[in-house]
Amino acid sequence: MATITTQLETAFRSAIRAAFNLDADPLIAPSTTDKFGDYQSNAAMGLSKELSSQGQKTNPRAVADQIVAKLNLQEIATEISIAGPGFINVRLSPTWLASQLAALDDRIGVEKSPHPQTVVVDYSGPNVAKEMHVGHLRSTIIGDAISRVLEFQGHHILRQNHIGDWGTQFGMLITYLKSFSGGPQGRPHIADLEDFYRQAKQKFDADPSFADQSRHTVVRLQSHGDEELSLWKTIVEETRRSYQPIYERLSVKLTPADERGESFYNPYLKPVVDDLKSKSLAVESDGATVVPTPGFDNPLIIEKTGGGYLYATTDLAAIRFRVTELHANRIIYTHDSRQAQHFAQVFIVARLAGFAPPAVSLEYAPFGTMLGEDNKPFKTRTGGTVKLKDLLDEAQSRALAVITEKNPDLPESQRNQIASAVGIGAVKYADLSKDRTSDYVFSWDKMLAMDGNTAPYLQNAYVRIKSIFRKAGLTAPNNAQIQLLESQELALAKHILRFQEIVDLVSKELKPHLLCTYLYELATRFHSFYEHCPVLKSEEPTRTSRLALADLTARTLSAGLDLLGITSPEQM
């Protein structure tokens, strides 16, 4: 269904055209304060300037008067007023709002795109032979939320996990693995990946013979030697066994089928360099091959002195593959903000080379750093890197303690299930609720709080609604007529009807925190409604109307949390 904004824009455009024979943006936005109305058009000021430039001198208020005279909002509005220099305010009809609510389905009004795109979302990207740490959290969950929103809109999403599974370090790792006696059965299980990597690096630095062997191993690996490839696969598979369960705990929709790591693009690197040379884009500089990029002092290096490729070469190969083989219309990268120059230069070169034609959108969605309460990068108490698994374990443990204190009679299995939903949901929401471009301070106490802009607060609103129906022994009313009589009912209804606008905005801006803010305000409006508008104790038809409004709120909360990859438990 069309959003409120879209319907008002259509009406205002028609009025502006009838009044001035101009096609202008009505600049519709929700009002900042209820006393003026529900929505506002700020078009009069701009139109006044445009008309004056055409010799029709008139002030904004007079322009607003002429727009209102041609405006047809008979069913939609109960009041249209002009404020200040020409702001046109619209107060929506409760009857019309109720009819809009009645038209909502399980998608809460979000229509699938009539022109679906193929969208590649590049996110997560753990390194092989290392455990995932908190530094991987933001890319993983921001990328997943963006993917979910775009998928919900009907776009074809191709998730790409660009894992670090190739490079000179694998010569060291494979040589270390080969040094164990007893054949494959005697080799270590790489459960503790960090120790495995650390021991290999120590031996590489301390033993020249081992270092030399490692360099020869790299050559054999790159030449696809059978033993080297077999051991390389062992390392990759062991790493996958470490991070795949983390994706599942996070409810992240990444599978092994989504992996296209550095190894995948290895055969494409030389053709990329050759192509850039043939197009006279790449030049030699101090023995290296580089591509000068307009606007940057330093060129993009695509081949090192003496041979060897870089991340930029792989990223260029990935863009070309995603355009030509995956037929992407839009490619989105979620990586930390320190990579801004890298991606800016890679995108420039991809355009210059024709790897990404103008019709393909290349988008970088950077994010800031997770900080500890000391405003420094989040670390363990001893100053080490926090493993992502350990973070999730602690979140679940803390949530379990709170749930056990509040509901000790719940079965243990149910408490554990709720603790997973609440604890991990809290970690994700604490991150997603912040503007991704900003650094943010991680706080256990704030994250798990039952009030404020937190996942537990939203989940508790959902639980409260479900408890209403449990207490009454009811299911959600079907085809119930909603009446919007109280201000709290109206505020809740208007907010629910903004869901599609917010989904569209997140899709455009690639900022999940906009959805978080919407859901927090929805939960706040519901709590106000619940406090001031008795539900079960009301007389009919008010009782059924409020039950329907509560159910619609629950469905909106659940749909929004699902787009963030957060579970909505029915009890807490």
Side-chain angles (χ1 to χ4, degrees), residues 120 122 160 162 260-262 264-266 268-269 272 311-328 331 333 343 346 350 355-356 362:
V120 168
D122 183 318
Q160 298 286 277
H162 192 103
R260 277 201 176 90
E262 294 169 2
F264 177 85
Y265 296 106
N266 193 54
Y268 298 89
L269 302 184
V272 162
Y311 290 130
T313 329
T314 305
D315 284 332
L316 288 167
I319 288 174
R320 182 150 75 168
F321 177 84
R322 291 164 179 177
V323 171
T324 59
E325 301 298 324
L326 301 183
H327 309 294
I331 307 175
Y333 296 80
F343 280 106
V346 165
F355 298 163
L362 300 176

Side-chain angles (χ1 to χ4, degrees), residues 479-499:
N479 302 317
Q481 184 175 356
I482 294 177
Q483 299 175 327
L484 304 172
L485 305 176
E486 302 294 335
S487 61
Q488 292 83 5
E489 293 172 309
L490 282 164
L492 186 54
K494 287 181 289 187
H495 200 72
I496 290 170
L497 289 167
R498 291 197 62 213
F499 184 67

Side-chain angles (χ1 to χ4, degrees), residues 338-354:
R338 291 170 294 184
Q339 302 298 317
Q341 179 173 326
H342 168 81
F343 280 106
Q345 290 187 280
V346 165
F347 291 172
I348 289 171
V349 174
R351 297 289 191 203
L352 291 172

Side-chain angles (χ1 to χ4, degrees), residues 17-318:
R17 198 177 295 113
F20 306 109
N21 196 29
L22 290 172
D23 188 12
D25 186 346
L27 301 175
I28 301 294
S31 296
T32 55
T33 172
D34 289 342
K35 74 176 184 178
F36 294 119
D38 300 316
Y39 280 78
Q40 185 178 81
S41 168
N42 299 333
M45 282 67 79
L47 283 168
S48 174
K49 290 180 181 178
E50 184 171 350
L51 291 166
S52 295
S53 70
Q54 297 175 3
Q56 304 176 53
K57 293 203 172 182
T58 182
N59 63 58
R61 183 121 188 162
V63 170
D65 281 330
Q66 292 180 69
I67 294 173
V68 170
K70 299 293 183 179
L71 196 58
N72 180 9
L73 293 176
Q74 289 182 353
E75 293 183 358
I76 297 177
T78 57
E79 180 186 349
I80 302 169
S81 60
I82 300 171
F87 301 113
I88 304 173
N89 295 302
V90 175
R91 192 170 299 282
L92 300 172
S93 160
T95 303
W96 180 80
L97 285 168
S99 72
Q100 298 296 292
L101 291 178
L104 296 180
D105 56 14
D106 288 340
R107 294 178 56 82
I108 322 298
V110 178
E111 295 180 348
K112 290 196 173 185
S113 172
H115 306 291
Q117 294 183 312
T118 296
V119 185
V120 168
V121 186
D122 183 318
Y123 65 104
S124 196
N127 290 315
V128 165
K130 292 184 179 181
E131 289 189 85
M132 289 182 78
H133 54 78
V134 293
H136 294 108
L137 178 66
R138 301 208 75 182
S139 175
T140 302
I141 63 175
I142 291 170
D144 188 64
I146 288 170
S147 298
R148 285 169 177 263
V149 167
L150 292 168
E151 201 163 47
F152 189 64
Q153 289 184 311
H155 299 294
H156 177 45
I157 306 303
L158 296 174
R159 295 167 171 84
Q160 298 286 277
N161 194 357
H162 192 103
I163 63 173
D165 66 347
W166 201 250
T168 55
Q169 74 272 23
F170 282 93
M172 172 186 78
L173 295 168
I174 292 168
T175 303
Y176 181 73
L177 198 58
K178 287 167 68 176
S179 70
F180 285 84
S181 60
Q185 291 76 22
R187 293 174 185 134
H189 183 274
I190 322 173
D192 189 342
L193 298 166
E194 293 290 346
D195 280 350
F196 175 77
Y197 187 91
R198 193 179 301 111
Q199 291 163 15
K201 183 69 168 67
Q202 287 172 352
K203 192 165 185 179
F204 182 88
D205 293 338
D207 185 345
S209 174
F210 178 83
D212 190 50
Q213 290 176 37
S214 299
R215 296 185 187 98
H216 289 296
T217 300
V218 171
V219 175
R220 288 194 293 273
L221 175 63
Q222 291 173 342
S223 301
H224 290 182
D226 289 342
E227 184 181 17
E228 286 73 24
L229 275 178
S230 175
L231 293 173
W232 171 76
K233 288 177 182 176
T234 297
I235 296 169
V236 174
E237 287 166 3
E238 289 292 350
T239 308
R240 187 179 295 120
R241 289 191 187 99
S242 171
Y243 62 68
Q244 196 60 44
I246 291 176
Y247 291 149
E248 291 167 6
R249 289 183 72 183
L250 287 168
S251 299
V252 166
K253 293 184 176 182
L254 277 176
T255 69
D258 300 316
E259 291 176 13
R260 277 201 176 90
E262 294 169 2
S263 62
F264 177 85
Y265 296 106
N266 193 54
Y268 298 89
L269 302 184
K270 185 178 185 302
V272 162
V273 174
D274 290 345
D275 200 5
L276 291 169
K277 287 179 178 177
S278 70
K279 292 175 178 175
S280 300
L281 294 170
V283 297
E284 187 176 322
S285 176
D286 297 327
T289 304
V290 305
V291 181
T293 49
F296 293 91
D297 294 334
N298 296 319
L300 187 69
I301 305 173
I302 57 171
E303 189 174 18
K304 294 184 287 189
T305 302
Y309 304 108
L310 294 97
Y311 290 130
T313 329
T314 305
D315 284 332
L316 288 167

Side-chain angles (χ1 to χ4, degrees), residues 409-420:
D409 296 332
L410 284 176
E412 183 179 0
S413 60
Q414 189 176 1
R415 282 186 281 121
N416 282 323
Q417 188 177 16
I418 295 170
S420 175

